[in-house]
Amino acid sequence: MRRRTFFRTAAGAAAAEWGGLSPALAADAEIEIAPGNPGPVISPNVYGHFIEHLGGVIYDGIWVGPNSKIPNVEGIRRQFVDDMKRIAAPNLRWPGGCFADGYHWRDGIGGSDRRPRTYNYWQRGRPAGTQTPETNQFGIHEFMRLCRLIGAQPYVAANVGSGSPKEFHDWVVYCNAPAGTVSLADERAGNGDNEPFGVRFWGVGNESWGCGGAMRPGEYATQYRKFVTQFPAYAPPFLVATGPRGHSADGDIGWTTGFFEEMRGFMPPDGFSIHFYTDFRRDRVKSGDFGAPEWYEVLLRGARLEKVIQNHWSEMGKFDPAHRTKLVVDEWGVWYPAGSEIAPAYILSQTITLRDALHTAMTFDIFNRHADKIAMANVAQTINCIHSLFLARGDQYARTPVFHVFDMYRAHMGGQFVPIEGRIPEVNISSLAGPARLAALSGSASIRGRRVTVTLTNPSLDTAVSARLRLTGGAGALEARGAVLTHSDMRATNTFANPDEVKPAVLPVRMRGDTIEFAVPKQAIIALELQLS
Ligand code: AHR
């Protein structure tokens, strides 16, 4: 969002009424958008997902097995499928994460009773007594079934750390070759899938600087070239190279420089991944129990992603001025210290509150504003892990506040980005790091056909913001509808016992010619849908 120079402090901002605006009140924020002059398309894939063989993500979260009493479709939790369809989940990244670089795909094919039990990278992270090995009941066929049920594109992370180019190429052939052409395709057909899977998105390793092989960027670049040079291109591929640990203190620019330097003269990847966790693992910020400074700390630290994207993009431009390679933020989310797991074996599951919903909205607005740079992004992780949309344990199930943000933002998918201009006040806040100033509203807008979507977040714990939005360039609205996600308690969450505590409500809006007036409550996210005349 671009801002003009008029700022007001929290003390000076007029308190807007929640339920409706008095026309006599001057608006706190004056916003203009020009739908006739849109920018780049927001790839639907930036609203993507990530699931890993970790804790309770796959087993129980998604895979309950065909004989389970929990309603399922051929072993896959039905409620999960229904909810993922509802948010039009565009893609799913699997099988890891760190798990991917220890995974051998052949372990997960063939009759379920013949699949081996193998070591899982994450089993040692579970408490004693729950350190079960990988059962391999969920393999590539089950993953593809899940993708088909949801209508999502598969994004498969291949094993570079402990695998080989041959193992990778065989997996690609197994997935993508037409039956009747090569033996691996016939094997796939024999295992129940005659039609090729048509996997386009391939990750060549994961966090190769860490759990994926502890490599230096130059070493990884050499591996990357070996893995992709003979890639069996049945379906036009989109190859994603391992990128930086974006949440490092220095943003890890050295990885990007080192990788692209070593790639000089060779075909660059289609995608370059960034992992960006708003990382409190070694911090005192807890997931469910916090005060105002921790609320703002999460939002401020999450907002650093914008700079990280810009910095890596500009570094990549030094080697690739035409920007053939796009960014893939294939893991993002707020990561809290252990302590709020839904059960001991469900490691990395955590309480998700309204604060995380605001973080999600602000992250999506960053992605939308950088639609020219970002080809895909995947929340880490969709269910029972870190920044989840869902929590599930046995027959218990809840949609977290984050789910509702995905739902509210879906209209941006595939739309064209439209810049927001205007006069937005700033508020004084106090985070753990000390006093700071935050825009009283931040957000993004897009247009698709005759429908404009505007999403805005008010991070303040104290002050509502009244806003007047004007469509410029002769555009007018026939209809305007609004939704709001908020709660009187900043720590509000959805639990198994109370799954609908945080959910969207209708936001009152008033249309006056080419202007739309509304109030954004404190600690809230709003989504407006405008039907243009
Ligand atoms: O999402 C959990 C873990 O975080 C992933 O396995 C790894 O890639 C990252 O460090």
Side-chain angles (χ1 to χ4, degrees), residues 8-17 21 25-29 423 425 458 462-467 519-520:
R8 291 166 72 174
T9 62
E17 275 178 55
L21 275 175
L25 264 186
D28 296 326
R423 174 181 67 75
N458 176 358
D462 305 307
T463 316
V465 179
S466 65
V520 187

Side-chain angles (χ1 to χ4, degrees), residues 50 52 54 97-98 122 206-207 275 277 331 335 380-381 386:
F50 168 37
E52 177 170 11
L54 186 173
C98 293
W122 291 102
N206 168 74
E207 297 194 350
H275 288 187
Y277 285 101
E331 291 185 25
W335 196 336
Q381 300 188 12
I386 312 178

Side-chain angles (χ1 to χ4, degrees), residues 72-301:
N72 68 84
V73 195
E74 296 175 75
I76 296 168
R77 191 183 281 272
R78 183 182 290 278
Q79 183 73 60
F80 179 75
V81 171
D82 290 348
D83 283 340
M84 291 290 272
K85 273 162 76 172
R86 172 167 161 167
I87 55 170
N91 60 67
L92 269 177
R93 176 174 183 251
W94 170 87
C98 293
F99 177 81
D101 283 286
Y103 181 62
H104 301 284
W105 64 271
R106 279 199 158 278
D107 294 340
I109 60 170
S112 58
D113 51 341
R114 292 196 304 278
R115 297 188 193 176
R117 275 170 293 125
T118 51
Y119 180 76
N120 179 319
Y121 173 85
W122 291 102
Q123 71 185 61
R124 66 186 174 157
R126 289 179 163 206
T130 66
Q131 296 175 330
T132 46
E134 173 61 41
T135 62
N136 286 300
Q137 294 304 293
F138 191 90
I140 185 74
H141 288 267
E142 291 76 21
F143 172 63
M144 287 307 307
R145 190 186 304 155
L146 171 64
C147 289
R148 282 193 298 254
L149 285 169
I150 293 171
Q153 291 240 30
Y155 171 21
V156 177
N159 178 348
V160 171
S162 66
S164 65
K166 173 175 169 21
E167 184 181 8
F168 175 39
H169 297 167
D170 283 353
W171 202 7
V172 175
V173 173
Y174 184 87
C175 288
N176 290 350
T181 61
V182 291
S183 306
L184 280 165
D186 293 344
E187 190 180 354
R188 181 196 67 235
N191 284 330
D193 277 297
N194 194 60
E195 285 304 308
F197 294 147
V199 180
R200 275 193 65 217
F201 295 109
W202 291 93
V204 185
N206 168 74
E207 297 194 350
S208 307
W209 34 261
C211 62
M215 291 179 240
R216 297 183 205 289
E219 291 172 313
Y220 171 70
T222 305
Q223 288 300 313
Y224 174 85
R225 294 196 303 267
K226 282 189 189 168
F227 271 68
V228 305
T229 302
Q230 292 261 333
F231 183 88
Y234 288 98
F238 188 98
L239 297 170
V240 182
T242 293
R245 185 175 185 270
H247 51 285
S248 306
D250 66 353
D252 205 9
I253 281 288
W255 178 272
T256 299
T257 315
F259 174 78
F260 282 100
E261 240 160 33
E262 276 298 318
M263 289 296 291
R264 274 188 209 275
F266 297 97
M267 176 73 111
D270 304 292
F272 187 58
S273 78
I274 289 190
H275 288 187
F276 186 87
Y277 285 101
T278 307
D279 187 1
F280 293 102
R281 275 174 288 175
R282 280 162 207 87
D283 229 302
R284 62 186 162 103
V285 175
K286 297 205 180 100
S287 59
D289 179 18
F290 55 86
E294 291 89 356
W295 164 279
Y296 289 120
E297 188 69 24
V298 167
L299 301 184
L300 280 172
R301 276 210 224 168

Side-chain angles (χ1 to χ4, degrees), residues 51 91 120 153 223 240 246 311 340 369 387 392 398 451 466 478:
I51 53 173
N91 60 67
N120 179 319
Q153 291 240 30
Q223 288 300 313
V240 182
N311 289 347
S340 68
R369 294 198 291 267
H387 199 96
R451 186 193 64 204
S466 65
L478 283 175

